[in-house]
Amino acid sequence: MVEGSMTQGAGQGPDVRTATLRDFRVPAYIHETTGPAPVTPGAPGTAPDEGYTPTQRDLPVINRGDTVQVQVMPEPPQPRANEEYGPLFVVGDVHGYLAELVAALQEQGLLDAEGNWSAGNARLWFLGDFTDRGPDGIGVIDLVMRLSAEAAAAGGYCKALMGNHELLLLGAKRFGDTPVNSGAGTATFQAAWLLNGGQKTDMERLEDHHLQWMARLDAMEEADGHLLVHSDTTAYLDYGDSIEAVNDTIRETLTRNDADECWDLFRKFTKRFAFRDESGPSAVRELLDMYGGTRIVHGHSPIPYLLGDVGSEDESDGAGPVIEGPHVYADGLAIAMDGGVTMAGKLLVCQLPLSV
């Protein structure tokens, strides 16, 4: 299933895809009716669980409808050598919410009214988690791939990092119900994918070029003094002592076709909250000292979780958490970018450096 090597930038896009959208307004919070949600290990008010096996749902799923056509462009031309780039933007977890993504990019002037790249030589980094929970993860991937081509043609770039949900979808497609050693009994990628918001429509529309694109994503990168990663964990240190080494090791892990190895990689990427408590600043500094940069920018852990302000399923008005922007914490060394769009929060697109 996974082919080729992992590189920065876009993959190759085909023809026209059908993408699911909803209105740009944030709807009322939608409660699940399948029973009480399990407690998230490591969530506010609970002790961290180092043995956490990510086979239970830890965030709610909201389904939203309507469609729009998103054209996927061919592979982009490579930027010219020594080309000067414009401003730097980052995008938090999207999780299939294509309408919110388009609206947020347009608000920042990165897309025009027709959804085409309009930011010239600007730089745009996605921090991972394009699929699951929301209605159209494949539409999101198709859009990011198209924007990568359009941005490169305009003298800028649009790139993306590997999130734990990319690893989860790759594993579900590649290994299915093959048992893996989870560290807490037997598990499968397929079961974990479904319990963590896997959408059957995404699996049905998943094609080889999507799989190749995901498998080639890097795990970390540095831009303008910002160390960009998906997860707020120090587990990256297990995979190398440089950005290049980490990315190479993860690429090699994915190409070895070993279900247990891929599960261990996925499990480590699901860890969170390493930067939140008293030891948070030192954890951030450990990563910065190893890989470079002066601040770490991550997604993965929704800001409402970091703040201990998660909407209750018992709320009578159905209101979701109010998120205005990124969360700066750990003595100003960490910037959290997951605004909790899956919890009726906000899909964040922000320019760096932050004016704080």
Side-chain angles (χ1 to χ4, degrees), residues 31-348:
H31 305 309
E32 293 187 86
T33 58
T34 56
V39 175
T40 304
T46 66
D49 182 359
E50 291 301 324
Y52 170 46
T53 298
T55 54
Q56 59 181 349
R57 182 175 60 249
D58 60 2
L59 289 174
V61 179
I62 302 174
N63 296 315
R64 295 152 179 168
D66 290 348
T67 63
V68 72
Q69 292 293 318
V70 176
Q71 186 176 4
V72 181
M73 304 300 290
E75 185 174 356
Q78 294 300 312
R80 296 184 299 275
N82 301 321
E83 185 174 9
E84 292 186 2
Y85 290 115
L88 173 66
F89 293 83
V90 290
V91 184
D93 299 35
V94 181
H95 281 301
Y97 290 104
L98 183 54
E100 289 80 355
L101 174 60
V102 170
L105 292 171
Q106 288 174 331
E107 184 179 356
Q108 290 288 347
L110 297 167
L111 301 187
D112 61 22
E114 286 72 41
N116 300 312
W117 180 263
S118 61
N121 65 347
R123 297 165 291 164
L124 180 63
W125 273 101
F126 285 82
L127 300 181
D129 277 10
F130 302 98
T131 67
D132 303 337
R133 307 196 196 286
D136 193 6
I138 301 303
V140 170
I141 290 176
D142 284 341
L143 176 61
V144 176
M145 293 170 68
R146 173 170 68 81
L147 293 181
S148 298
E150 295 180 1
Y157 66 69
C158 170
K159 299 182 181 182
L161 295 180
M162 172 81 71
N164 63 302
H165 280 263
E166 281 68 65
L167 292 169
L168 183 56
L169 183 56
L170 284 167
K173 180 67 174 179
R174 190 175 192 180
F175 303 112
D177 289 322
T178 300
V180 294
N181 182 7
S182 70
T186 301
T188 71
F189 270 105
Q190 178 72 11
W193 174 71
L194 289 171
L195 288 168
N196 282 278
Q199 302 295 295
K200 293 183 179 180
T201 53
D202 282 347
M203 186 65 77
E204 291 168 355
R205 295 167 56 203
L206 191 63
E207 298 183 21
D208 285 345
H209 67 276
H210 298 127
L211 297 169
Q212 293 168 8
W213 181 82
M214 287 190 290
R216 293 168 179 165
L217 297 175
D218 282 339
M220 63 192 324
E221 190 52 77
E222 188 273 336
D224 294 356
H226 297 89
L227 183 61
L228 308 178
V229 297
H230 173 69
S231 304
D232 47 328
T233 177
T234 59
Y236 295 92
L237 296 166
D238 296 343
Y239 292 95
D241 58 4
S242 70
I243 290 175
E244 181 179 13
V246 170
N247 292 331
D248 286 347
T249 301
I250 290 174
R251 179 196 65 227
E252 292 163 3
T253 299
L254 290 174
T255 59
R256 275 196 292 269
N257 198 34
D258 185 296
D260 286 327
E261 272 194 319
C262 290
W263 178 267
D264 189 59
L265 176 61
F266 162 64
R267 180 184 63 83
K268 289 179 178 179
F269 265 59
T270 64
K271 293 183 178 181
R272 60 173 92 245
F273 302 139
F275 315 143
R276 187 185 61 178
D277 299 320
E278 290 184 1
S279 60
S282 62
V284 175
R285 291 189 184 95
E286 187 177 12
L287 289 172
L288 296 176
D289 290 344
M290 180 66 73
Y291 303 119
T294 57
R295 260 185 174 180
I296 196 163
V297 183
H298 70 85
H300 187 50
S301 290
I303 294 172
Y305 274 21
L306 290 169
L307 298 175
D309 185 27
V310 180
S312 168
E313 293 195 38
D314 297 326
E315 288 176 337
S316 58
D317 60 1
V322 177
I323 300 299
E324 299 297 337
H327 175 49
V328 181
Y329 67 115
D331 290 349
L333 296 173
I335 301 174
M337 284 292 301
D338 184 353
V341 66
T342 63
M343 307 155 70
K346 185 175 183 179
L347 200 161
L348 297 177

